[in-house]
Amino acid sequence: MPALVQPFFHAPTSTVSYAVYDRPGGIAAVIDSVLDFDAAAGRTGTGSADAIAAFLAEHGLTLDWILETHIHADHLSAAPYLQRRLGGRIGIGAGVTQVQEHFGKIFNDPLSFRPQGQPFDRLFADGETFAVGTLQSRVLHTPGHTRDSVSYLIDDAVFVGDTLFMPDGGTARCDFPGGSAAELFGSIRRLLALPEGTRLFVCHDYAPGGRVHAWETTVAEQRRANIHVRDGVDEAAYVALRTARDRTLPMPALIIPAVQVNAAAGRLPPPDSNGVVYLRVPVNVL
């Protein structure tokens, strides 16, 4: 039986989280979970994560892995909340240490941004394998959007993070620290060298043209129709297109809280002496 996949769409950030499992009553991984966050009010919520937990309970699933494809800049991770409720190990690509080091300097906060990869439970190297129950899984380092970006190949399904969008959405931006359009092109060609029937699951969908939201595609569909990197588009053309487009994009609305929280595996900073948690805002830096 191929990997069973249940998506969860988070409308405020256009993020898609996934529960991946081998069988009902079996073992599951959760990929790119979301902690609800009202930036104007400074309030968090767990409704999105609770929906994932309810699905796992309904299907009798044991949570083994809570996986991040990279340090997200557009939403906060619910990984520690899910871990407290259901157990499991929090994993991310080994390149996270570079991201932690960079943003630790920007936020002047070495305790939250620990360059050794803490407090993640597992740092995955390129090509490393692991199991989700009976499903064999492999980590593919796919940098370009960020230095720590990885894709998870679980059976016949690949969870590509922000590397690719649906074919009519193209590809992710490359103007974050450590980003590289040339590297992203190479990462995408690596993914598109997989068998044509391989299922690809994206982390975001912005529904271009007002279509219905979608998140599952295939290698064959991407090679034929991706507006940025379909077959026939070479690296130079892609880099020129991606670089020009990135110059027009605004900063993600939640990048300041998201990077602080996600670099600490989704953990909020410790409370001050008054019991209140505070996030830092670097002024005139980003």
Side-chain angles (χ1 to χ4, degrees):
M1 180 180 292
L4 299 172
V5 180
Q6 176 63 42
F8 300 85
F9 184 70
H10 185 251
T13 61
S14 297
T15 300
V16 191
S17 307
Y18 297 96
V20 189
Y21 57 107
D22 56 356
R23 59 181 176 80
I27 304 299
V30 168
I31 301 174
D32 291 334
S33 62
V34 177
L35 182 72
D36 302 316
F37 184 66
D38 181 342
R43 289 191 174 275
T44 62
T46 61
S48 298
D50 289 336
I52 297 175
F55 176 86
L56 298 180
E58 179 184 353
H59 291 80
L61 297 168
T62 298
L63 182 58
D64 193 10
W65 290 104
I66 306 166
L67 303 173
E68 304 287 354
T69 54
H70 63 293
I71 297 296
H72 301 274
D74 43 27
H75 70 267
L76 278 64
S77 170
Y81 173 75
L82 288 171
Q83 187 178 55
R84 287 193 300 271
R85 281 197 59 178
L86 303 171
R89 294 164 285 178
I90 301 174
I92 196 168
V96 70
T97 59
Q98 299 175 53
V99 178
Q100 288 174 321
E101 182 175 9
H102 177 85
F103 281 104
K105 295 174 182 177
I106 288 179
F107 286 90
N108 194 30
D109 186 9
L111 292 180
S112 294
F113 295 86
R114 302 167 187 168
Q116 299 86 5
Q118 300 171 1
F120 293 93
D121 299 312
R122 180 79 166 267
L123 303 185
F124 290 109
D126 182 40
E128 190 168 351
T129 60
F130 63 102
V132 179
T134 59
L135 301 172
Q136 294 304 305
S137 309
R138 181 160 56 97
V139 178
L140 305 175
H141 184 41
T142 47
H145 174 60
T146 62
R147 291 299 309 147
D148 62 329
S149 292
V150 295
S151 298
Y152 297 102
L153 174 58
I154 303 177
D155 195 67
D156 71 326
V158 186
F159 300 86
V160 300
D162 288 8
T163 301
L164 281 166
F165 297 145
M166 295 299 289
D168 59 350
T171 64
R173 66 195 296 168
C174 299
D175 58 339
F176 293 153
S180 164
E183 278 195 319
L184 185 59
F185 182 84
S187 295
I188 291 170
R189 296 318 303 180
R190 181 184 189 188
L191 292 173
L192 299 188
L194 294 168
E196 290 192 345
T198 303
R199 296 180 290 164
L200 304 178
F201 292 89
V202 303
C203 184
H204 294 285
D205 183 61
Y206 301 102
R211 63 157 169 75
V212 174
H213 287 285
W215 37 77
E216 180 179 350
T217 179
T218 65
V219 166
E221 290 171 349
Q222 292 283 359
R223 293 185 62 169
R224 182 181 67 253
N226 187 286
I227 61 173
H228 294 167
V229 288
R230 62 189 176 276
D231 286 354
V233 176
D234 64 18
E235 180 179 318
Y238 173 73
V239 169
L241 180 153
R242 185 70 263 170
T243 302
R245 179 167 172 74
D246 287 348
R247 292 194 187 105
T248 71
L249 298 177
M251 193 73 73
L254 295 182
I255 186 171
I256 288 176
V259 169
Q260 290 177 78
V261 172
N262 295 339
R267 289 167 172 79
L268 295 171
D272 275 16
S273 58
N274 62 355
V276 176
V277 170
Y278 293 90
L279 295 168
R280 294 183 173 218
V281 179
V283 177
N284 298 326
V285 176
L286 296 178

